[in-house]
Amino acid sequence: MTSWGFYGKMWVSFVGQLSVAKKHIVFIFHEKIDKDELDGSTRFFLNLQGQFQGMAGSMFTDVWRAEVNSPATPNGEPEYVLRTAQNFRVPGLKNGLGLPQVFKFDWNVIQNKLNS
């Protein structure tokens, strides 16, 4: 356990070096749900521990939330949606590629932004 601080610093350094090299990297995190006891609203945060939770978003150009609307289509298939703009329920999202704020997942839309 005494080496976890060093491990965290190495990851921060590694991600920083990839960012400078203009490489696109994708991290997938679980989220934690915080329910407000006064109004019953829910908020979603990256499920990270310690100091890394506060600085993780600043290390990346984009932070998105994937959502599933089920069932959303007439044939009962789920609809996969990406949210790229933060709001009260989902703080910390970032949209450096200029994607729509909420859109049905389409890899071609993302790929066009990455290649431009």
Side-chain angles (χ1 to χ4, degrees):
M1 293 301 283
T2 58
S3 298
W4 282 108
F6 175 74
Y7 181 70
K9 288 180 183 179
M10 290 297 293
W11 267 107
V12 169
S13 173
F14 178 65
V15 170
Q17 291 173 18
L18 288 174
S19 298
V20 170
K22 303 291 186 199
K23 298 293 181 188
H24 298 290
I25 52 176
V26 175
F27 283 100
I28 300 171
F29 294 96
H30 287 277
E31 62 187 8
K32 65 180 179 178
I33 301 171
D34 182 28
K35 186 171 184 176
D36 190 319
E37 295 179 10
L38 297 176
D39 64 7
S41 64
T42 55
R43 297 180 73 190
F44 301 91
F45 300 93
L46 295 178
N47 190 15
L48 300 170
Q49 302 300 318
Q51 296 175 346
F52 193 62
Q53 182 179 14
M55 70 176 181
S58 66
M59 296 174 62
F60 304 101
T61 59
D62 288 71
V63 179
W64 309 330
R65 181 172 192 257
E67 301 173 357
V68 179
N69 297 333
S70 175
T73 61
N75 61 359
E77 294 290 324
E79 178 181 59
Y80 300 98
V81 176
L82 283 181
R83 181 176 303 278
T84 63
Q86 66 181 355
N87 59 26
F88 173 76
R89 290 187 51 224
V90 189
L93 298 182
K94 293 168 50 178
N95 186 359
L97 290 177
L99 293 164
Q101 292 184 1
V102 179
F103 67 100
K104 184 177 176 182
F105 177 78
D106 181 358
W107 173 247
N108 293 325
V109 173
I110 298 168
Q111 189 173 21
N112 288 339
K113 293 293 185 173
L114 289 172
N115 293 333
S116 64

